[in-house]
Amino acid sequence: MNPAVRIRPARWTDKNAVAALIADALHPTPLAAWLVPDPAQRRQVLTDVLGIWVEHAMFFGDIHLTDDHTAAIVGFHRYRPIPPPAQYRIRLTDAAAGHASRFDLLDSLMSLKQPTEPHYHLAFLAVRTDNQNAGRGTAMLTHHRSRLDRIDLPAWATVPSGGEDLLTRYGYTPRPAIALPDGPTLHPMRRNAHRDSGSAMPINPARPVDNRWQGFHV
């Protein structure tokens, strides 16, 4: 881990900053355009919907971020099925500004692939655009891998096209893809439970891992 990158658990007061960080990373992607076709609404809708899930992770998962708020990682502890966020239907309708049906469809398609066994769900990883290729993505995923090995649970993530190679370096393997109707393809990935982190593929320092990657949990 890059010693200059300090990672800490998020506090309640960080939740808005974390949602904005992930929305900023997601905003220019094909997935964001599919979820919110209206570019004038896109950033605000993403920030508001992500705010619901970041808050939910405070209760049913964990959030870690760098001290300078330039990178964050969000996950859920799915030891058993977890409930939706409080008043989710009302809150999603308000936050999505007419685009709730796209979020609902994404939810349905991802739920079909989600494991039923106990697992850790890596929902989001984002690095701020002007801080990429500075070791933050490497630090966050190395920290993530070490925590996974301590709890000895399998892990699950869904990444956009191009993100598979990144998680492969941390022990994840691809599963059948999700093709969104008239939209991008998403790639579920699984990491088996094990305590020996040395079995994961080594990081090649010549290949940067800080290109922003973001999952989407709904």
Side-chain angles (χ1 to χ4, degrees):
M1 185 183 301
N2 184 340
V5 178
R6 298 185 58 181
I7 299 171
R8 62 169 176 83
R11 297 183 282 266
W12 183 257
T13 53
D14 296 317
K15 61 187 178 69
N16 291 339
V18 171
L21 169 62
I22 302 171
D24 181 65
L26 185 63
H27 181 264
T29 67
L31 176 58
W34 183 84
L35 285 167
V36 188
D38 183 353
Q41 294 182 305
R42 188 173 302 147
R43 187 180 298 276
Q44 188 61 56
V45 168
L46 292 172
T47 302
D48 291 346
V49 174
L50 284 161
I52 298 172
W53 288 102
V54 168
E55 177 184 301
H56 200 48
M58 294 278 186
F59 297 104
F60 292 97
D62 55 54
I63 301 172
H64 288 79
L65 72 163
T66 56
D67 264 350
D68 58 3
H69 288 198
T70 57
I73 192 166
V74 179
F76 289 86
H77 304 149
R78 293 185 176 270
Y79 303 116
R80 60 186 63 84
I82 63 176
Q87 299 182 310
Y88 179 59
R89 174 50 47 196
I90 295 172
R91 296 172 70 189
L92 177 64
T93 300
D94 289 344
H99 303 285
S101 61
R102 288 291 175 97
F103 289 92
D104 284 336
L105 180 56
L106 179 61
D107 182 17
S108 298
L109 293 174
M110 291 180 65
S111 294
L112 292 174
K113 302 288 187 177
Q114 192 83 23
T116 56
E117 65 179 328
H119 66 282
Y120 181 90
H121 179 189
L122 172 57
F124 306 104
L125 168 64
V127 178
R128 203 169 72 186
T129 305
D130 57 356
N131 283 272
Q132 292 170 20
N133 301 315
R136 284 166 175 77
T138 301
M140 296 302 287
L141 282 171
T142 301
H143 183 260
H144 166 70
R145 183 175 63 189
S146 68
R147 289 191 300 115
L148 282 182
D149 289 347
R150 286 197 298 272
I151 63 175
D152 198 28
L153 272 182
W156 187 265
T158 303
V159 300
S161 295
E164 311 97 303
D165 184 57
L166 173 57
L167 286 191
T168 296
R169 299 177 219 173
Y170 289 87
Y172 285 81
T173 56
R175 292 295 186 264
I178 300 171
L180 300 177
D182 300 316
T185 298
L186 304 179
H187 302 272
M189 300 191 73
R190 175 192 167 90
R191 183 181 189 269
N192 290 332
H194 57 75
R195 294 186 180 276
D196 180 12
S197 61
S199 64
M201 292 181 66
I203 301 169
N204 182 346
R207 300 172 66 190
V209 300
D210 281 359
N211 292 331
R212 66 185 164 209
W213 171 84
Q214 60 291 312
F216 205 91
H217 168 95
V218 293

